[in-house]
Amino acid sequence: MTGATNEPRAASWLAAIWAARYRTPARFVALIALLLPWTTTGLTFALIPWLIAFAFVDLRAFPRSLLRPICLLPIALVALAAVGTLWSDVPWPERIHAIGPAAKLLVIPLLIYQFERWPYGHWVFFAFLASCTALMLYSFAVAIDPALSLKLYLSRGPYKVESGIAVRNYIDQSQEFALCVLALVYPIVALLRQRRVGIAALFATLAIGFLANMIFVVVSRTALVTLPILVVLFALLYLRLRAALLATGAMALSAVLLFGVSPHLRTTVAKFQADYQTSVQDSQVSGMGSRLEYWRKSLRFIADAPLVGHGTGSIRGLFASVAADAKIDPLRGEIVSNPHNQTLSVAVQWGIVGVLILYALWFAHLSLFRGEGLACWIGLLVVVQNMLTSQLNTHLFDFTPGWVYVLGVGVAGGMTLAKRARELEHDPEKCAAAFREECLDNNIKRDDASS
C-alpha cells in the first residue's frame, strides 16, 4: 500500500515540475527586470538560466513565429552587424566586440514567443517597477549623504560623488524613472475611472516620487526633452480632446512653476546654452557641443561610404583618422566610438541599408502596439522613448536603455499578441476574416512555388 501511495504522489510531483516549465522562464525574465536598474553583471548571469528554461518550453511553432517582421527585423539588424565585419578595416577583435551591442536584439523574438503563450508578463512589469522604486528611495538617501553611493565602491578608478547617483549614471537613472512615471499614468487613469481610488493613490504617490527625484535631485537633459513629448502622446491617444488640452495646459503650467522652485532644474536647462558656448567659442569639450562635432564628422564619414558604410566597429578608427591635436583643439581632438546618435551610428557602419532596417524595426514595433490596454501603452511608450532618446544617444545599442527596449517590446509585444488572439476567438467575424486571409496567403505561396 505504501508503494502504491508513493507512486501517485511521485507522479503528481513530476507533473507539477513539468507544468512549472511554463512559469519558470517568466520568473527568470522577472529576475532580469529586477536586476536591470542595479547591475550589468547580475543581468548577464540571469540570462543563462532563462535561456536554459526557455529550451524546455514547446518550441514547435517557434520557427514560424520568427518570420513575422517584429521578429525578423531585429534578427536582420544583428545579421547585418555580423556581415559588416567583412568590409571593416579594424582588427578582428574590435569587429567581433562591436557586434555585442546589437546582439541583445536577438532576445526580442524569444520573449515575444514566450509571453504570447504564457500570461505572466505582469510579473516582469511589477518587478521593474519595484526595483526602480527601491532605486528612487536610495537615490534620495544618496542626495542627503553622497557617501552612501554604491559607485564609490563599485566604479573603476576614482569616482566623483554626484548628487543622487546610487549606481550606474544619471542618464540611465533618469530614463528608468521617466519610463515608470509615464507607465503609471495609464493604470492611474483606468483605476480612477473604475473609482478604485486607493490603488490609484498608491500609484500616483510612486509617480510623484519619481518626478520629485528628477526635478529636485538629478535628471538628464535627454529625459527633460522627451518627457513632455511622451505626456502629450498619452493625452492625444487616451484622453478626449478637451481633457487632452487641459492636461497639456496643466503640464505647461507645472513646468513653469517647477522651474521657478527647483535650482537643479534651472541649472540643467542652462547647460544647453552653456555647453554650446563652451564648444563653439572656446573649442572645449562639453555635452551638447561635443555632440554637434560628432554629428558633423559622422555625416562626412557617411558621405564617403553611403550604401553599406565602413563596416562593423569602424567608428573609433574613423574618428582617430581625422582627430586634431588634442592639446591644441580638445574638442576636435576627441576620439570616440559612439557618435551619440543611433541613426548616425548605424549609418557610419552599415550605410543606408542599416538605416532602412533600423527604422523598419522601430515602425514595425510601433504598429504592434496599436490598441487599448496596459501592455499596448507600455510597449508604445518603450518604443517611442527609445526613438526619441536615440536622437541624442545610441540607446538601442547602449546596455541599460537597450535592455529596457528588449524587455519592453518582447514582454509587452507577446502580451499584446495574446490579447488579440483571445479577441479573435470571441469574435466569429474577425476569426473568419483572419482565416480567409491566412488561406489567401497560403494560396499565393503555393502559386509562387508552382511558378
Side-chain angles (χ1 to χ4, degrees):
M1 290 292 292
T2 304
T5 304
N6 288 336
E7 286 181 7
R9 188 175 298 174
S12 65
W13 275 102
L14 290 173
I17 293 171
W18 184 244
R21 76 190 192 279
Y22 296 113
R23 295 188 296 273
T24 301
R27 287 171 177 155
F28 281 122
V29 178
L31 177 61
I32 291 170
L34 194 68
L35 294 172
L36 179 56
W38 295 87
T39 171
T40 58
T41 307
L43 185 148
T44 305
F45 280 112
L47 281 172
I48 299 172
W50 169 69
L51 289 171
I52 295 172
F54 182 84
F56 285 93
V57 303
D58 186 355
L59 299 176
R60 286 174 294 181
F62 182 60
R64 185 178 178 183
S65 73
L66 296 179
L67 300 178
R68 297 174 294 188
I70 55 174
C71 298
L72 194 60
L73 287 166
I75 297 172
L77 189 59
V78 179
L80 180 63
V83 175
T85 59
L86 299 178
W87 61 84
S88 178
D89 292 333
V90 300
W92 273 101
E94 293 183 30
R95 304 186 205 186
I96 301 300
H97 182 265
I99 300 174
K104 67 174 75 72
L105 298 177
L106 295 175
V107 176
I108 292 177
L110 279 66
L111 290 173
I112 289 176
Y113 183 83
Q114 175 181 333
F115 289 95
E116 190 178 0
R117 283 156 178 78
W118 304 295
Y120 303 112
H122 58 283
W123 291 1
V124 182
F125 297 152
F126 280 120
F128 185 77
L129 177 62
S131 187
C132 286
T133 300
L135 182 61
M136 177 258 292
L137 295 174
Y138 190 25
S139 176
F140 278 119
V142 172
I144 297 170
D145 184 1
L148 296 174
S149 175
L150 289 176
K151 290 201 70 174
L152 291 170
Y153 314 102
L154 301 179
S155 61
R156 298 175 181 175
Y159 168 67
K160 179 183 177 182
V161 175
E162 297 177 81
S163 174
I165 306 299
V167 292
R168 302 280 181 80
N169 55 73
Y170 72 99
I171 296 177
D172 290 347
Q173 182 171 298
S174 297
Q175 291 302 110
E176 291 160 351
F177 289 0
L179 183 63
C180 288
V181 169
L182 292 162
L184 285 167
V185 172
Y186 187 96
I188 290 171
V189 173
L191 289 166
L192 288 175
R193 287 173 178 172
Q194 299 169 14
R195 298 185 178 180
R196 300 172 64 183
V197 180
I199 303 177
L202 174 61
F203 286 162
T205 302
L206 291 178
I208 291 170
F210 288 122
L211 274 175
N213 187 279
M214 296 171 66
I215 292 167
F216 296 104
V217 178
V218 63
V219 66
S220 71
R221 286 172 291 178
T222 304
L224 207 59
V225 170
T226 57
L227 191 60
I229 300 173
L230 294 169
V231 171
V232 173
L233 175 67
F234 176 85
L236 294 175
L237 287 177
Y238 297 105
L239 300 179
R240 295 185 179 90
L241 180 59
R242 183 180 177 183
L245 292 175
L246 288 173
T248 304
M251 181 190 69
L253 180 61
S254 300
V256 172
L257 293 174
L258 291 170
F259 187 80
V261 301
S262 172
H264 167 70
L265 199 59
R266 292 197 298 272
T267 302
T268 303
V269 173
K271 284 183 68 178
F272 283 100
Q273 180 66 20
D275 280 4
Y276 181 78
Q277 292 178 345
T278 298
S279 297
V280 172
Q281 297 177 3
D282 303 329
S283 294
Q284 297 297 315
V285 174
S286 68
M288 197 63 215
S290 296
R291 277 181 170 86
L292 295 175
E293 179 65 16
Y294 303 156
W295 297 347
R296 184 186 68 80
K297 290 181 178 179
S298 296
L299 289 173
R300 194 166 73 184
F301 300 149
I302 295 167
D304 293 337
L307 186 59
V308 293
H310 296 270
T312 304
S314 59
I315 295 175
R316 186 173 184 83
L318 291 170
F319 272 91
S321 67
V322 297
D325 189 339
K327 293 182 180 179
I328 299 175
D329 193 340
L331 178 63
R332 290 168 181 80
E334 279 193 284
I335 300 174
V336 296
S337 55
N338 177 4
H340 288 75
N341 179 284
Q342 189 66 59
T343 304
L344 295 178
S345 176
V346 169
V348 169
Q349 296 179 90
W350 311 303
I352 296 173
V353 175
V355 173
L356 290 175
I357 295 176
L358 171 67
Y359 278 84
L361 179 149
W362 273 333
F363 285 113
H365 290 160
L366 273 180
S367 66
L368 171 63
F369 298 112
R370 293 177 299 178
E372 295 288 335
L374 180 61
C376 274
W377 168 238
I378 291 177
L380 181 69
L381 175 61
V382 167
V383 177
V384 174
Q385 185 191 47
N386 190 268
M387 292 179 69
L388 292 174
T389 59
S390 288
Q391 306 312 309
L392 298 172
N393 299 280
T394 52
H395 271 176
L396 190 64
F397 288 169
D398 291 345
F399 189 90
T400 301
W403 274 109
V404 167
Y405 186 89
V406 168
L407 287 177
V409 171
V411 176
M415 294 174 68
T416 300
L417 292 173
K419 180 183 176 183
R420 289 177 186 168
R422 290 194 299 270
E423 289 173 351
L424 282 176
E425 290 177 0
H426 293 90
D427 191 331
E429 293 184 3
K430 288 183 179 180
C431 189
F435 179 74
R436 287 194 297 270
E437 185 177 350
E438 185 176 354
C439 290
L440 180 62
D441 290 341
N442 290 335
N443 289 334
I444 292 173
K445 290 176 182 178
R446 283 197 293 269
D447 292 341
D448 291 342
S450 61
S451 61

